[in-house]
Amino acid sequence: MNQNIRNIAIIAHVDHGKTTLVDKLLKEGGVYRANQHVEERAMDSMDLEKEKGITIKAKNTSVHWKDKIVNILDTPGHADFGGEVERALRMVDGVLLVIDAYDGPQAQTRFVLRKALAHGLKVVIVINKIDRDNADPAKMYDKVLELLMELNATEEQFDAPVVYGSGRDGYMMYHLGEEKKDMTPLFQTIIDHVPPPFAKPEDPFHMLVSNIDWSDYVGRIAVGKILGGVVKVGDPVFVLRHSDNKKIRAKITKIFEFTGLGQREVEQAHAGNIVGLSGFEDVDIGDTLDVRDDAHPLPFQQIDPPTLEMQFCVNDGPLVGQEGKLVTSRQLRERLMRELKQNVSIQIEDSDKAGIFNVKARGAMQVAVLVETMRREGFEMLVSRPTVIEKKGDNGERLEPYETVWIEVPDECVGAIMQNLANRKGRLTNMEKLAHSTMLEAVITTRGLIGMEIDVVNATSGRGVLSHLFKEYGPYAGEVLTRITGTLIATEAGETTSYALVMCQERGKLFVNPGEQVYEGMIVGENPRNEDIAINAVREKQLTNFRSQGSGVATGLTPASKLSLERSIEYIAADELVEVTPKNLRLRKRILNNGARQKASKASK
């Protein structure tokens, strides 16, 4: 065993302080120079991660403490990105389970902890944020022990060491009430309790690829933990493909070790360390690298299957190509296939129609992140509403995915949320009164869950918190009503005028302001009744000697409500699409022409 290395992953629910904790570990590990500018949440390197305040991709770094190397993997806490976590657990020997001292163990904590225990990893419990108001660290530690019992932890895993502290303020302690100094107790606990990586230094070199990095200079970089032997620059190796069981020769051109926030090139790497290797034409997650001619592929952890499916289509609207550079189906397909190589938890298939691709994923959030990333790269496309992936049962009956959902709401909003759950065919399984709020637990179909988060935010004025977790496939629940309103549809193309919009807003809520480009079939507002109304949003005022353009128009135009990308995807109905361009989001009907649309709806009836 390599005694100087420790490999750990940090797991927790969303917002329990994983990335902030890594900041402090990096600082204490001497990664920064004395005068260097220290970034907040340094591991969240993507723009989207910084904006949303969540981690999306699992990333690794390493800290040198005393004479030991601690390799740390920061993992996402959102259920939609569970595939990243499952992959990270392959590379480590222990996990830091971070628990908020006020919220306690939540949905996502349970999911990741179950995976970690199944891998036989050692757990170190970190009760974080003990400086919060109303924090109760001792009680939360008891709750973690209850959770470990529930998940059938072994006796060794149940005796997990615990440290208390605050990642933001940069201190940890072994027992409550000790002096608040620095992060030493946490480092010491990791060194004492997490075993060194199990590896065979005498064996020939072999490694399982757990992650893929990309560099413009050397191409694909395979990241993983070396399970045996030593690898040097210039070594010939075989790539055993996980997808088609082929064997390909390759030569190692560069070896990268992770140090702090960057990488450094080294001449050789030893068993037990987490490294990046380049020199491959093509390498994917789950492939095995080995120097032996007669090697066997290493077992690859199966990842939970996706439950939602969406369509990505080429933009065929009248305003195509005015704002984005990349609009053809070839460019769209290449970009989606590139995503497939870096992200194992999504699946992409060509559909039977040209220019339409089916994307299967864990949740709407995961797809929204992909769409937002592509939009920033200059793509234009259409995205459909998510539909669930159904299965056939043993007797041929229809099955659909069900999820467990936890909703924490203020006491006065409980009624509204229960009503919403009932409309979506949710079944309440537990209700618990907390200090300042009520926690509802329910089982609901994945279809019923689409768009529910927005409803919770609206009903509770932004104070409700919702988290969900896949439970099982169950019998089909019948019709679920998720949107009870209709839409206002533009009949003419052109630029919207205040004169027309003042009359349109009597029909409902508007999504467009004056001076915006609209086209026939575009959705410009919401109708409170469940029917679509065609309106003219570009009509101009007839001018005579007595009428001027501006008189009497400026009064009473309400500002338009703009939907975010995630909200738009969950808002649209089955016959509608979201047009995504680098500058705008527009909602539209699948069939733009009014007459053709009515014919189609009659035919379907």
Side-chain angles (χ1 to χ4, degrees):
M1 286 189 171
N2 196 335
Q3 293 297 336
N4 291 335
I5 298 179
R6 298 288 186 278
N7 296 328
I8 57 166
I10 299 193
I11 58 177
H13 191 73
V14 189
D15 252 3
H16 281 197
K18 295 180 290 296
T19 309
T20 309
L21 186 68
V22 176
D23 279 359
K24 287 296 183 284
L25 292 175
L26 288 173
K27 199 169 171 188
E28 203 118 322
V31 169
Y32 301 112
R33 296 188 313 275
N35 59 349
Q36 188 174 346
H37 168 66
V38 179
E39 279 209 35
E40 286 270 309
R41 305 204 320 276
M43 294 296 284
D44 285 352
S45 51
M46 289 165 60
D47 294 346
L48 267 176
E49 293 181 313
K50 285 198 167 30
E51 285 166 31
K52 289 182 182 292
I54 58 171
T55 305
I56 292 168
K57 286 189 101 58
K59 299 179 208 58
N60 32 342
T61 176
S62 81
V63 175
H64 297 258
W65 191 74
K66 299 200 170 157
D67 54 348
K68 305 271 197 267
I69 299 173
V70 181
N71 286 321
I72 303 172
L73 270 125
D74 184 21
T75 62
H78 201 284
D80 287 10
F81 309 110
E84 296 284 325
V85 185
E86 290 164 32
R87 215 168 59 201
L89 296 180
R90 293 286 306 184
M91 294 196 261
V92 297
D93 308 283
V95 292
L96 293 191
L97 179 68
V98 182
I99 302 287
D100 189 310
Y102 172 70
D103 288 336
Q106 302 258 336
Q108 193 60 22
T109 321
R110 177 183 302 256
F111 165 74
V112 231
L113 187 58
R114 185 185 298 129
K115 298 264 176 206
L117 294 177
H119 279 287
L121 302 176
K122 284 297 276 288
V123 180
V124 174
I125 302 167
V126 181
I127 306 286
N128 194 19
K129 302 195 186 185
I130 61 171
D131 52 333
R132 269 185 79 169
D133 299 343
N134 306 323
D136 189 350
K139 183 179 167 196
M140 292 315 152
Y141 177 54
D142 292 343
K143 283 201 163 177
V144 177
L145 293 181
E146 282 171 26
L147 181 63
L148 282 167
M149 279 177 73
E150 242 178 83
L151 298 176
N152 303 327
T154 62
E155 202 153 309
E156 193 185 3
Q157 288 170 326
F158 186 73
D159 286 338
V162 59
V163 291
Y164 302 91
S166 161
R168 189 191 63 183
D169 299 344
Y171 62 83
M172 286 287 158
M173 47 200 176
Y174 296 112
H175 304 287
L176 289 168
E178 288 179 357
E179 187 192 354
K180 300 177 178 178
K181 228 163 80 187
D182 54 10
M183 303 297 271
T184 309
L186 180 57
F187 274 120
Q188 199 56 56
T189 309
I190 292 171
I191 301 296
D192 295 346
H193 290 277
V194 175
F198 176 72
K200 304 169 182 162
E202 272 65 56
D203 276 21
F205 163 73
H206 60 282
M207 151 177 158
L208 179 73
V209 181
S210 300
N211 210 340
I212 293 287
D213 216 349
W214 171 265
S215 146
D216 292 341
Y217 301 105
V218 295
R220 301 174 77 77
I221 300 171
V223 179
K225 180 170 87 172
I226 301 178
L227 298 169
V230 177
V231 61
K232 299 186 182 72
V233 173
D235 280 2
V237 294
F238 290 101
V239 181
L240 306 172
R241 296 297 302 269
H242 165 69
S243 51
D244 48 15
N245 298 327
K246 281 187 184 159
K247 196 150 98 179
I248 302 167
R249 283 175 180 272
K251 186 175 168 189
I252 304 289
T253 53
K254 281 188 164 60
I255 302 175
F256 300 98
E257 266 190 359
F258 294 92
T259 65
L261 296 179
Q263 302 167 336
R264 65 156 186 236
E265 281 188 46
V266 289
E267 285 304 307
Q268 59 174 14
H270 296 272
N273 206 351
I274 295 178
V275 294
L277 306 174
S278 75
F280 311 102
E281 187 77 7
D282 206 9
V283 65
D284 277 327
I285 293 163
D287 293 356
T288 304
L289 307 180
D290 204 308
V291 289
R292 289 167 292 195
D293 209 353
D294 57 344
H296 298 290
L298 295 163
F300 176 60
Q301 187 64 30
Q302 263 333 99
I303 280 179
D304 291 354
T307 52
L308 286 181
E309 178 174 39
M310 286 169 66
Q311 289 180 336
F312 279 45
C313 326
V314 173
N315 187 3
D316 58 0
L319 303 178
V320 60
Q322 293 185 9
E323 292 162 7
K325 301 191 292 288
L326 308 163
V327 294
T328 64
S329 69
R330 181 181 57 84
Q331 291 163 328
L332 192 60
R333 185 171 191 279
E334 273 174 14
R335 175 66 182 84
L336 288 173
M337 292 306 161
R338 195 163 81 234
E339 184 66 28
L340 202 53
K341 294 198 163 166
Q342 292 183 350
N343 190 342
V344 274
S345 56
I346 63 172
Q347 296 169 10
I348 295 166
E349 298 161 358
D350 294 317
S351 71
D352 44 6
K353 291 187 183 149
I356 299 180
F357 308 97
N358 293 333
V359 177
K360 296 179 178 178
R362 288 272 179 96
M365 173 91 156
Q366 192 183 9
V367 183
V369 166
L370 171 59
V371 174
E372 183 62 47
T373 315
M374 289 171 65
R375 171 188 180 186
R376 292 179 183 198
E377 290 166 11
F379 280 90
E380 276 192 25
M381 62 202 146
L382 301 175
V383 187
S384 76
R385 178 185 171 86
T387 53
V388 301
I389 299 172
E390 294 183 2
K391 282 186 179 173
K392 281 267 187 280
D394 299 336
N395 308 326
E397 72 275 27
R398 274 173 89 176
L399 300 179
E400 65 170 328
Y402 279 75
E403 312 218 6
T404 312
V405 56
W406 290 266
I407 313 170
E408 189 182 334
V409 293
D411 299 341
E412 66 271 17
C413 306
V414 172
I417 300 299
M418 305 260 278
Q419 180 64 48
N420 196 331
L421 270 172
N423 289 350
R424 294 168 176 272
K425 301 234 171 116
R427 200 173 72 246
L428 198 68
T429 52
N430 191 11
M431 188 168 168
E432 189 185 342
K433 178 80 187 78
L434 306 175
H436 301 282
S437 55
T438 303
M439 181 66 102
L440 305 173
E441 185 183 322
V443 174
I444 188 171
T445 64
T446 307
R447 275 184 310 147
L449 200 61
I450 296 172
M452 178 153 186
E453 200 161 345
I454 315 286
D455 287 358
V456 170
V457 168
N458 289 345
T460 60
S461 315
R463 292 171 298 168
V465 181
L466 179 143
S467 53
H468 59 94
L469 204 52
F470 175 73
K471 184 169 188 268
E472 62 196 2
Y473 269 84
Y476 185 73
E479 207 47 46
V480 173
L481 202 62
T482 51
R483 186 174 97 185
I484 47 178
T485 55
T487 53
L488 307 177
I489 302 168
T491 52
E492 309 282 326
E495 204 174 275
T496 52
T497 62
S498 326
Y499 175 69
L501 291 183
V502 167
M503 290 194 255
C504 294
Q505 77 175 8
E506 292 170 10
R507 300 290 182 83
K509 189 167 74 177
L510 292 179
F511 294 155
V512 291
N513 286 316
E516 287 187 29
Q517 286 290 331
V518 297
Y519 50 82
E520 184 186 2
M522 182 171 149
I523 297 170
V524 292
E526 177 181 83
N527 173 27
R529 292 199 197 90
N530 192 359
E531 58 184 14
D532 296 341
I533 301 179
I535 56 170
N536 182 349
V538 297
R539 179 165 39 174
E540 290 190 351
K541 195 170 182 183
Q542 295 299 319
L543 302 183
T544 64
N545 290 348
F546 299 110
R547 294 185 182 160
S548 68
Q549 188 132 25
S551 67
V553 169
T555 52
L557 191 58
T558 325
S561 61
K562 293 289 181 190
L563 303 181
S564 68
L565 177 61
E566 276 146 65
R567 178 78 180 97
S568 305
I569 290 173
E570 294 182 339
Y571 177 81
I572 54 175
D575 65 332
E576 296 163 3
L577 297 167
V578 183
E579 180 183 330
V580 182
T581 72
K583 293 183 183 159
N584 283 305
L585 294 175
R586 303 185 183 95
L587 306 184
R588 49 161 280 187
K589 288 287 185 188
R590 272 180 195 261
I591 303 171
L592 293 178
N593 182 288
N594 199 9
R597 196 168 53 246
Q598 283 172 352
K599 264 185 204 158
S601 74
K602 273 180 190 155
S604 69
K605 277 174 188 165

